[in-house]
Amino acid sequence: MAFRIAPSILSADFARLGEEVRAVAAAGADLIHFDVMDNHYVPNLTVGPLVCAALKPHVNLPLDVHLMVKPVDRIIPEFAKAGASIISFHPEASDHVDRTIGLIRESGCKAGLVLNPATPVSWLDHTLDKLDLVLLMSVNPGFGGQQFIPSVLPKIAEVRKRIQACGKPIWLEVDGGVKADNIAEIARAGADTFVAGSAIFGAKDYAAVIRDMRARLAVL
Ligand code: DX5
Ligand code: ZN
């Protein structure tokens, strides 16, 4: 299985964001995870399409945009224009989930659905075959630096089973509290893509953390 590591800029130094994304790209990241929060769907406020467009020329990696905003549809074409490769959203933030998935795909981006720790997997019943990515939250969205919620592990396994049954190369990404010391357990449950904010940006040597994560995945 191919594993991907996606540093979340939420824990980067926002005053030096261009430099920070270049540094994690040089350190071996596969994607840049871009957390968009609106102080409405989640109790925090971060960055929008302007910052996404500003970062785009600094990095060749795909921009993995995680929308924690409600409503969601209006902002999708703006993120596509700003250079997003993947756009993920929470089903609770959309009145018409199938339409929102369609909007993302029509805008030329890969589409992801994000499930919070208490959001049921049944949201995938009628959506999975249209998705490129399922993003499972292993913390409640809104803040970096929270503890991984272990009850998400069986949920990861369940979603992996559904993806296998579907037969499409859908990515299974996990977001929240991912560190070098739990990444193997999360991968064993079935994840292939790992968001890590504080674990990477909170360290002095980004490359050392990513190397450590890859070493623990390599022995699986
Ligand atoms: C939380 C965000 C995460 C966050 C993860 O709402 O979606 O992407 O940055 O941060 P860590 O890795 O510190 O838990
Ligand atoms: Zn995120």
Side-chain angles (χ1 to χ4, degrees), residues 14-218:
F14 273 74
R16 298 186 297 110
L17 217 41
E19 209 179 300
E20 290 275 71
V21 294
R22 288 198 303 272
V24 283
D30 298 296
L31 306 163
I32 301 294
H33 187 81
F34 191 93
D35 285 305
V36 183
M37 303 184 181
D38 69 347
N39 186 40
H40 170 70
Y41 178 66
V42 289
N44 200 354
L45 185 64
T46 58
V47 285
L50 281 174
V51 176
C52 186
L55 282 183
K56 183 73 182 163
H58 287 266
V59 66
N60 267 326
L61 301 176
L63 297 176
D64 173 28
V65 174
H66 174 191
L67 296 180
M68 287 160 273
V69 303
K70 186 181 181 172
V72 64
D73 289 3
R74 199 199 61 78
I75 204 86
I76 286 169
E78 291 193 33
F79 273 102
K81 256 186 269 154
S85 297
I86 304 165
I87 300 179
S88 301
F89 69 100
H90 292 251
E92 298 91 341
S94 166
D95 287 328
H96 305 281
V97 170
D98 184 76
R99 178 182 289 153
T100 303
I101 294 170
L103 259 172
I104 296 172
R105 302 191 71 117
E106 282 157 26
S107 72
C109 295
K110 292 183 175 172
L113 197 64
V114 195
L115 305 181
N116 287 330
T119 302
V121 165
S122 59
W123 276 106
L124 302 175
D125 284 355
H126 307 286
T127 55
L128 190 61
D129 62 331
K130 294 165 191 134
L131 296 173
D132 299 286
L133 174 138
V134 177
L135 175 49
L136 290 183
M137 293 307 300
S138 40
V139 297
N140 286 296
F143 301 95
Q146 303 180 78
Q147 281 270 323
F148 182 86
I149 299 171
S151 61
V152 174
L153 289 168
K155 194 174 182 187
I156 298 168
E158 194 184 335
V159 173
R160 171 54 64 195
K161 263 196 225 149
R162 284 182 179 235
I163 290 174
Q164 263 157 1
C166 173
K168 295 193 170 163
I170 299 163
W171 294 5
L172 177 41
E173 185 173 40
V174 172
D175 185 3
V178 178
K179 317 266 172 219
D181 62 11
N182 61 9
I183 199 166
E185 195 183 8
I186 300 166
R188 269 197 301 270
D192 54 32
T193 305
F194 307 88
V195 177
S198 51
I200 293 173
F201 284 106
K204 278 220 164 65
D205 185 345
Y206 303 163
V209 179
I210 294 176
R211 232 183 289 123
D212 188 10
M213 288 177 164
R214 288 203 198 283
R216 291 169 193 251
L217 294 169

